[in-house]
Amino acid sequence: KEKPVTVITSSPPHSTQLIGLKLKEQFGIPWIADMRDPWTDIYYYKKLLHTRIAKRIDKNYEKKVLENADKVVVVSESIRRSFIQKSKLIKQENIVVIPNGFDEKDFENKTPIQSENKFIITYTGTIAESYSPYKFFNAIAKLIKNNSDINILFRFIGSMPKEMHDFLKSNFSAKNFEYIHYSPHEKVIDYMLRSSVLYLAIPHAEGNKGILTGKLFEYLAARKPIIATGPVDGDAAAIISSCRAGKMFEANDEIGILTYLQNLLNEWKINKNISVESEVYKKYSRKNLAGQFAELISKITH
């Protein structure tokens, strides 16, 4: 009835893609399958405990979507490579990387200025045991011990397992650790901007090289140095490096993490408002990414 020019189906849940597949089959409408996460290769897939037949059906659906969509949009090169290998009928040029990004409006009229005389390491979001953060926590504890004359604060905004919270409470004094279970998004942005360093963690799991959280791009927009733990040859590490915004360490590299934190602390002593100077991060603005999507629509409809 409406004769849409293009249909875009975005997932997860990946069942959404079956609607796009049906519309393509029934009406021949140009179709973009926007897949923000892997399907059968998602790092927690095994924990969903599919039966053998359910796995087979799932893989078949995944293959049909990848083979029939006019374009498939993914958020990272690793996911793109994984999808290309699913079938010989998939055209490599049809799978396009458009990553997550940040909303410029969140950072309008805000400057990354730290008013407190504290070296503040901030983490925002959810964390789980699979992120293996304990070596990082140990590095912060040693940083505090080695620099007892400086006010150092680890601020965690989000949710964590009770065992992890208990560990932090028992290993950090109240003046060195602050736990904020929930904060509105606008306030979280302010916390980022008032930080000295931002901590990013990628879970230790199969396929984690392609994990790119939306948080990474907000961290980039905050213009504060990023210290991250996860695969050093993954997509997140490559983006942090290309933006000259910080460094990725393997989760168990306590010495490397501590050394890097100490270097940042030494820099902070000279300039309390240390910030990232590179402008490369701007290419990840949602306005720019929406432009890439518009070009994609234009290509498949002309």
Side-chain angles (χ1 to χ4, degrees):
K1 182 184 170 185
E2 299 297 336
K3 295 182 172 54
V5 174
T6 315
V7 166
I8 301 172
T9 48
S10 189
S11 64
H14 296 304
S15 53
T16 306
Q17 303 301 347
L18 304 183
I19 299 167
L21 180 64
K22 192 75 174 174
L23 290 169
K24 177 74 179 176
E25 289 172 347
Q26 198 164 329
F27 301 104
I29 302 166
W31 167 40
I32 298 173
D34 177 45
M35 300 171 78
R36 314 309 294 171
D37 283 334
W39 192 326
T40 59
D41 295 323
I42 190 78
Y43 68 93
Y44 53 76
Y45 191 77
K46 287 177 183 174
K47 292 182 180 177
L48 300 177
L49 304 175
H50 294 79
T51 61
R52 208 175 306 173
I53 191 166
K55 279 183 192 171
R56 197 158 60 241
I57 291 168
D58 226 10
K59 286 193 172 185
N60 185 50
Y61 278 146
E62 178 183 46
K63 195 153 77 80
K64 282 187 79 174
V65 166
L66 294 170
E67 288 174 351
N68 288 281
D70 293 281
K71 294 288 180 184
V72 176
V73 174
V74 296
V75 299
S76 72
E77 276 295 338
S78 296
I79 298 174
R80 180 178 180 272
R81 287 192 296 270
S82 168
F83 280 160
I84 286 168
Q85 293 166 6
K86 299 287 179 183
S87 166
K88 290 178 181 176
L89 298 178
I90 297 166
K91 295 176 182 174
Q92 293 193 25
E93 64 272 19
N94 281 354
I95 302 188
V96 181
V97 177
I98 300 179
N100 291 311
F102 66 91
D103 191 339
E104 290 167 305
K105 288 182 181 176
D106 288 340
F107 296 88
E108 275 178 3
N109 306 316
K110 292 184 178 180
T111 50
I113 292 175
Q114 189 181 344
S115 56
E116 300 165 87
N117 189 28
K118 290 178 187 174
F119 184 76
I120 304 173
I121 302 161
T122 299
Y123 180 93
T124 69
T126 302
I127 201 166
E129 296 292 342
S130 61
Y131 289 66
S132 307
Y134 291 98
K135 295 291 184 184
F136 186 86
F137 297 157
N138 289 343
I140 297 176
K142 286 178 181 174
L143 185 77
I144 292 165
K145 187 179 178 183
N146 297 344
N147 300 272
S148 55
D149 57 324
I150 295 171
N151 199 345
I152 298 171
L153 175 69
F154 176 41
R155 178 179 280 149
F156 188 103
I157 307 159
S159 62
M160 67 172 78
K162 183 182 181 300
E163 296 77 16
M164 200 178 288
H165 187 214
D166 290 344
F167 174 88
L168 287 164
K169 277 179 71 178
S170 62
N171 284 274
F172 290 81
S173 69
K175 73 168 191 171
N176 296 126
F177 172 58
E178 182 181 10
Y179 180 42
I180 301 167
H181 184 64
Y182 171 78
S183 186
H185 185 250
E186 188 178 345
K187 181 73 173 167
V188 172
I189 299 291
D190 286 335
Y191 278 127
M192 287 183 195
L193 293 168
R194 297 208 319 264
S195 300
S196 313
V197 185
L198 299 172
Y199 169 43
L200 176 79
I202 305 288
H204 181 71
E206 197 176 334
N208 65 349
K209 290 181 184 180
I211 294 176
L212 287 176
T213 62
K215 173 171 60 187
L216 165 61
F217 301 97
E218 291 193 335
Y219 276 13
L220 292 172
R223 316 294 300 280
K224 294 294 181 178
I226 298 169
I227 182 164
T229 54
V232 294
D233 55 348
D235 293 313
I239 288 173
I240 292 168
S241 177
S242 72
C243 293
R244 299 194 290 280
K247 196 166 181 183
M248 177 77 75
F249 294 87
E250 293 292 346
N252 61 358
D253 185 7
E254 188 177 319
I255 295 170
I257 293 164
L258 177 58
T259 303
Y260 191 66
L261 283 171
Q262 186 64 57
N263 290 341
L264 288 171
L265 180 60
N266 294 341
E267 195 179 330
W268 176 85
K269 289 177 189 175
I270 299 164
N271 175 18
K272 295 291 188 285
N273 290 307
I274 52 173
S275 64
V276 174
E277 299 302 321
S278 170
E279 300 282 310
V280 177
Y281 79 97
K282 288 182 177 177
K283 71 179 184 178
Y284 297 110
S285 74
R286 287 186 188 158
K287 186 177 180 180
N288 185 46
L289 301 174
Q292 292 178 40
F293 237 110
E295 283 178 27
L296 213 54
I297 293 168
S298 183
K299 281 178 185 174
I300 67 169
T301 55
H302 290 89

